[in-house]
Amino acid sequence: MAVSRSMTSWLYISPLMLVLVPFFVLPILVVLVASVFETDGFGGLIPTFTLANYGTVLTSGLTYNLYFETVKFTILTWFFTLLLGFFVAYFLVFHVRNPLLAIGLFLICTVPFWTSNIIRMISWIPLLGKEGLINSALLHLGLIREPLEFLLYSGFAVVVAYVHQLTIFMIVPIFNSMARIDKRVVEAAIDAGASRFDIMRLIIVPLSKSGIALGSIFVASIVMGDFFVTKVMSGGGSASVVGAFYEDISVLQYPGAAASAIILTVILLVMVSLILRSVDIRKEITQ
Amino acid sequence: MSAVPQSVAVAEARVTKHAIAPSRGSRPWTFYVLAGLFTFYVIALYGPMICIYILSFQDVRGGLVFPMKGLSLHWFVDLFTQVRTGDVKGAFDRSIKLAIVVTVITVVVSFMSAMAFRRRFPGDNIVFALMIGSLVAPGLVLGIGVGLLFNAIGIETSPYTSALGAQLSWTLPFGVLVMFAVMSRFNPAWEEAARDLGASTWQTIRLVILPVLAPGLVAVALFGFTLSYDEFARTLQTAGPQNTLPLEIWSMTLNVTSPSLYALGTVTTIISFLIIGAALGTIVFIQKRRGAGAS
Amino acid sequence: MAVLRGDIELAGLTKSYDGVTTVVQGINLRIPDGAYCCFLGPSGCGKTTILRMIAGHEDPTGGEILIGGENVVGLPPVARGTAMMFQSYALFPHLNVRDNIGFALRIRGLSKKDRNRQTDAMIEKVRLTELADRLPAQLSGGQQQRVALARAAITEPRVLLLDEPLSALDEQLRVRMRLELQRMQRDLGITFVHVTHSQLEAIALADMVVVMDRGEIRQAGAARDVYATPRDRYVAEFLGGQNVFAGRVDAINGDLASFASPQMKHIAVPVGSAPVSTGDTIDIAVRRDDVGLVRPGMDVAADTSWLASRVLAVEYQGNFVKVMLDATGTDEFIAYIPERTFFRDPYAIGDVVQATWPSHLARLLAKTTALTA
């Protein structure tokens, strides 16, 4: 009985594994293998084991700059998406009294998720550009004399584009965990004399932890794995780990790129597993 | 995770509960602060997109920024006729076809996986970890890994082999997570009741499980379609010689400096909205049909 | 399955999920054909597991289940001639009343015409004709219960298994639905096996009550037997209505045991042929409605046991008054005094009273540790 049961389960799960093994496990292994091979300098790999690629990557000052930039954008994006996502979700769950209206407003927040990310990114150009809406408005109002240069093709623009794309990944899981909070718990806290701040600190935040964790995983892994937004929105002023990886690949520097990719992947996986250790996401979702 | 199915659950949950205190009387100052923040967020969310939709309707003199120069469909015509903007029509065609294949596979495989995950089985934690890993792995790295792998075995990369697989490694974990949320509201006793009344495993799936989960499956389909239709990083190195739509847009952002780009944005958004509309319409249709009691 | 006898025999039935702890411990039981049998016990006592094993939704670890003399272990539910009514009903949320009830017929491949004819007859039987096109979510609890009953009954089972069928209903509806269940069972003339944690429900409905504790049967028998003559302390306390207390035997005169402790010196308990000797500690049960109260100093008839005590609390119950006494120290001691009797001379909290009962109505209970089903 037990044997046939797990057989059935594996039968159901096998199609998933037929995708994950050849299109996740093997590609990562291929990159791992490439990272310990030598290169002939023309895109060919020489199957000789070496850790020199890791040495090169880890001793290069450029690497640390790249990681610094990427981590900087990750932390900034994470901070602003969390701030926005948390309070938007809090507003919808605890301040909008009509439940239907809350659902409607929630759906309004989610609709752009279903449209193209790239389009949403470039849609900032007519706003933030030198002759864009914001600059012309500010000039018109006489608040500035010269157009603000830092708005577009800058670190600012990168963060704006990321926050614009990714806040939804915070709102949805946080909204879901907040909506599960029994409102009577909050009322009980008010009865016990808790202030607005106490309620937030002692009840809302702890009970939304799983949503915050899930959202953080999405935001951090997407920003750290992205190169496109940094490339376009910084106007070439900022680089990212994956962006450098892409450049290396296009000049056929496979082993170095692979080593850097493996380091990034390991960092990501460690980060995610640390978050997952604190929250049982599987249980949270299935409950 | 999932916008559509969970929000429905949330709707049910919220109706039965009282709003946070004070649920009556005057609103606290925090309401106005947060309402302001929310309004700001929604404007920032939609504002820029609406700007480019408007700008895409300029005439031939049009530029990338306001003010509007004229009103015409010039850039839409330009988009589908000019050679310099690349093969937009072909890219649309390829992307939509690929997205449909990805959608179908995502729905079927996510459903099967969620069925398996309802109980514990040996190795379930490993499968779950692989799924999360596949979800968070940097897309470009994975795409290049797939490219190198195909190279090593000696197969050409193409949309329906390497790109399909690479996209599925991203849509499936999403789909399964959404199915988890959908399944959490499925009462296992329904299945037992069907068995008790003589239904075989297949009859149980066909007559009970699938119809009950239908709205959730539509949501998974919407995820599958959108994630594939919009997929960029994993497809870049796996699609073969011909571009999918996001790849086409990417090359346009680097080369094209005319409102054609905005026209393309308008067109893909219209398609996205049609897909959302179709998905919501299907869900409403399913619920209506149940309400009417037809069978 | 030509002979559709619905008698059930459980022989050495055992269930363990992890191989270490057993939730059902080798129980033996015979339920006659056409009986209304209630499994009664607290949650986690294994009663639902037994029901699910009879239904075929779980396999026993050991032992046999015979229905109509045929071992059904390993058979799928539909081949057993059983039908189950699930806790909270498990009505298919996407099907209307008619399609829910007709589900089994659809599975059997009946044509739509035959199906609807049989289904409509059943719908009429449970008085749901006006609601046939409604979805389960649009029905009240009582209506849902009738749909669940009809959906199970349409398979013409020889045994109907009901898992906490009334627990989802409010108090008033529960009483009404109890009558409905009884009526259905008489109409169908088949065996009902009903699992509940409510002693009221069990004794109101059942011909046969099976009291369970931690995977074992404590007592099985007619409702009145189990209620009036509980075998041991567990059964007496679970069914309620009894004062249970322990005492050390001082002497045995004839078949009456008497006690040493000063508080219990006026108590005598018939021990019959039970192997009780001086110095043993025994459990005694006295029905709360057998206990009368008198003021101290009043004469007490011969062959009457009595206890001196003080009133702790008085609870008005309508047709009787529940008086709580501090008579026996640790065990609570309660007297149910008929309403009119009580108010002829009402007691207040703190009053000193004598609790009395005819000695032959007290019962010696079996030691809880000696367990045989």
Side-chain angles (χ1 to χ4, degrees), chain C residues 129-163:
Chain C
T129 310
E130 288 82 54
L131 306 173
D133 292 325
R134 294 258 190 106
L135 288 179
Q138 300 161 325
L139 300 177
S140 72
Q143 291 161 347
Q144 288 185 13
Q145 199 228 25
R146 298 215 295 269
V147 177
L149 200 56
R151 185 179 70 177
I154 205 161
T155 61
E156 297 181 327
R158 43 183 171 165
V159 176
L160 188 66
L161 305 161
L162 306 102
D163 187 5

Side-chain angles (χ1 to χ4, degrees), chain B residues 190 192 196 198 207 212 293 295, chain C residues 52 57 84 91 94 96 99:
Chain B
W190 289 327
E192 276 184 352
D196 200 70
L207 298 175
V212 170
S295 59
Chain C
R52 292 170 56 79
H57 293 304
M84 182 142 166
L91 297 178
H94 62 300
N96 61 24
D99 291 343

Side-chain angles (χ1 to χ4, degrees), chain B residues 74-92 94 243-264:
Chain B
H74 173 84
W75 298 106
F76 292 90
V77 178
D78 183 75
L79 183 65
F80 288 103
T81 50
Q82 291 278 324
V83 191
R84 67 187 163 102
T85 50
D87 180 16
V88 173
K89 224 189 294 184
F92 260 119
R94 281 187 289 276
N243 275 352
T244 61
L245 190 64
L247 303 185
E248 197 66 37
I249 302 176
W250 139 268
S251 69
M252 277 177 80
T253 55
L254 303 178
N255 309 318
V256 177
T257 48
S258 74
S260 276
L261 189 55
Y262 297 162
L264 182 54

Side-chain angles (χ1 to χ4, degrees), chain A residues 30 42 48 53 74 87-88 109 136 161 202 223 229 235 245 258:
Chain A
V30 166
F42 305 101
T48 319
N53 304 313
T74 307
F87 283 105
V88 166
C109 294
S136 29
L202 299 172
V223 176
V229 174
F245 168 78

Side-chain angles (χ1 to χ4, degrees), chain B residues 25-293:
Chain B
S26 69
R27 296 177 183 277
W29 60 270
T30 47
F31 172 84
Y32 298 98
V33 175
L34 290 174
L37 180 84
F38 180 79
T39 314
F40 165 76
Y41 175 67
V42 171
I43 290 174
L45 193 61
Y46 284 89
M49 294 166 65
I50 292 170
C51 287
I52 69 159
Y53 305 150
I54 295 172
L55 287 174
S56 67
F57 289 96
Q58 299 177 89
D59 67 20
V60 67
R61 295 164 296 151
L64 286 180
V65 293
F66 282 104
M68 279 283 279
K69 297 193 180 78
L71 187 70
S72 78
L73 291 176
H74 173 84
W75 298 106
F76 292 90
V77 178
D78 183 75
L79 183 65
F80 288 103
T81 50
Q82 291 278 324
V83 191
R84 67 187 163 102
T85 50
D87 180 16
V88 173
K89 224 189 294 184
F92 260 119
D93 196 49
R94 281 187 289 276
S95 265
I96 289 179
K97 279 184 187 154
L98 181 59
I100 289 171
V101 176
V102 170
T103 305
V104 171
I105 298 177
T106 301
V107 169
V108 174
V109 176
S110 301
F111 172 71
M112 291 177 71
S113 308
M115 290 286 284
F117 270 114
R118 288 191 305 166
R119 342 189 158 85
R120 303 217 66 113
F121 56 91
D124 58 345
N125 280 331
I126 296 171
V127 178
F128 188 75
L130 283 182
M131 221 171 69
I132 298 294
S134 187
L135 191 68
V136 301
L140 190 69
V141 172
L142 209 67
I144 283 170
V146 172
L148 286 174
L149 179 67
F150 271 62
N151 206 359
I153 329 172
I155 311 173
E156 289 286 307
T157 51
S158 73
Y160 293 107
T161 53
S162 47
L164 176 66
Q167 292 197 348
L168 285 174
S169 75
W170 160 243
T171 61
L172 281 181
F174 249 106
V176 176
L177 290 183
V178 175
M179 276 311 293
F180 277 3
V182 172
M183 281 282 194
S184 67
R185 284 180 291 127
F186 185 86
N187 181 355
W190 289 327
E191 218 180 330
E192 276 184 352
R195 231 162 69 81
D196 200 70
L197 296 168
S200 65
T201 307
W202 172 236
Q203 281 172 319
T204 308
I205 291 177
R206 191 168 57 88
L207 298 175
V208 177
I209 300 179
L210 284 179
V212 170
L213 296 182
L217 292 172
V218 174
V220 174
L222 182 58
F223 264 94
F225 190 94
T226 306
L227 293 175
S228 161
Y229 179 67
D230 197 25
E231 215 307 310
F232 170 69
R234 283 163 204 246
T235 322
L236 189 58
Q237 296 294 315
T238 53
Q242 289 179 309
N243 275 352
T244 61
L245 190 64
L247 303 185
E248 197 66 37
I249 302 176
W250 139 268
S251 69
M252 277 177 80
T253 55
L254 303 178
N255 309 318
V256 177
T257 48
S258 74
S260 276
L261 189 55
Y262 297 162
L264 182 54
T266 308
V267 175
T268 77
T269 309
I270 289 171
I271 290 183
S272 297
F273 274 88
L274 287 179
I275 299 290
I276 301 173
L280 289 181
T282 313
I283 292 176
V284 169
F285 175 73
I286 293 169
Q287 309 281 24
K288 269 244 173 74
R289 212 180 61 159
R290 282 184 197 171

Side-chain angles (χ1 to χ4, degrees), chain C residues 265-333:
Chain C
K265 65 172 181 274
H266 302 292
I267 296 175
V269 178
V271 292
S273 55
V276 173
S277 45
T278 311
D280 286 355
T281 301
I282 56 173
D283 284 335
I284 305 134
V286 179
R287 276 170 63 159
R288 290 171 179 175
D289 51 349
D290 283 339
V291 178
L293 298 178
V294 294
R295 301 277 180 191
M298 302 265 286
D299 279 346
V300 173
D303 303 330
T304 300
S305 296
W306 62 272
L307 269 165
S309 66
R310 194 181 293 272
V311 175
L312 284 178
V314 175
E315 242 179 37
Y316 184 62
Q317 303 276 339
N319 54 349
F320 66 92
V321 178
K322 185 176 173 184
V323 184
M324 276 150 271
L325 306 170
D326 72 345
T328 54
T330 50
D331 296 307
E332 67 174 356
F333 196 95

